[in-house]
C-alpha cells in the first residue's frame, strides 16, 4: 500500500468568490476582472519567484447574502470562516490586502 504524500503547489492559495453575489452585483464582469488583475499584479500579490498567482474560484453561496456586495475569502481567512465584502472594483485591492494581512499570526 502506498504512503500518502503531502504536496505543496507552486500556486498561492485560491480566492473564493460567491457566484450568486457576483451575479447580483452591478458590474459582475468588471468586478471579476479586477479581482483577477489584483491577484496577478506583482505589487502586493504575495507570490514569490517561481510561484504562480492565486486562482479565482467561483463557489456556491456562503450564506451571508449582503446587499450590493460580493463575498470574497481565501487562504487562512477561509479556514477561520472570515470573509470580506466587496462592493466595487476599486475596493478589490484593499479587500485582497485585508485577506492576506494576518495581524494575529497563526491560531
Amino acid at each position: 500500500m502506498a504512503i500518502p504524500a503531502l504536496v505543496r503547489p507552486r500556486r498561492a492559495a485560491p480566492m473564493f468568490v460567491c457566484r450568486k453575489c457576483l451575479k447580483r452585483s452591478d458590474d459582475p464582469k468588471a468586478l471579476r476582472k479586477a479581482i483577477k488583475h489584483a491577484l496577478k499584479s506583482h505589487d502586493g500579490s504575495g507570490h514569490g519567484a517561481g510561484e504562480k498567482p492565486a486562482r479565482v474560484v467561483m463557489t456556491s453561496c456562503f450564506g451571508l447574502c449582503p446587499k450590493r456586495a460580493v463575498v470574497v475569502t481565501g487562504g487562512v481567512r477561509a479556514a477561520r470562516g472570515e470573509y470580506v465584502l466587496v462592493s466595487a472594483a476599486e475596493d478589490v485591492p484593499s479587500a485582497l490586502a485585508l485577506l492576506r494581512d494576518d495581524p494575529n499570526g497563526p491560531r
Side-chain angles (χ1 to χ4, degrees):
M1 193 165 180
I3 299 172
L6 181 64
V7 179
R8 295 186 190 263
R10 294 183 303 157
R11 189 175 299 277
M15 286 292 158
F16 300 105
V17 179
C18 177
R19 177 180 287 130
K20 184 179 173 184
C21 292
L22 188 65
K23 184 170 55 172
R24 291 185 317 170
S25 70
D26 292 336
D27 195 1
K29 278 189 176 182
L31 200 52
R32 181 173 176 166
K33 187 176 179 180
I35 293 170
K36 290 182 94 168
H37 178 70
L39 289 173
K40 288 182 182 181
S41 68
H42 292 285
D43 52 343
S45 65
H47 60 277
E51 190 172 318
K52 296 179 178 183
R55 287 193 185 260
V56 176
V57 179
M58 305 309 273
T59 65
S60 58
C61 186
F62 287 114
L64 301 175
C65 302
K67 293 190 181 206
R68 294 183 219 98
V70 177
V71 179
V72 180
T73 190
V76 176
R77 301 286 187 174
R80 292 184 186 164
E82 299 173 348
Y83 306 95
V84 174
L85 304 180
V86 180
S87 57
E90 303 86 48
D91 301 336
V92 169
S94 61
L96 295 182
L98 185 62
L99 282 173
R100 280 188 226 101
D101 182 35
D102 196 7
N104 301 331
R107 277 194 197 175

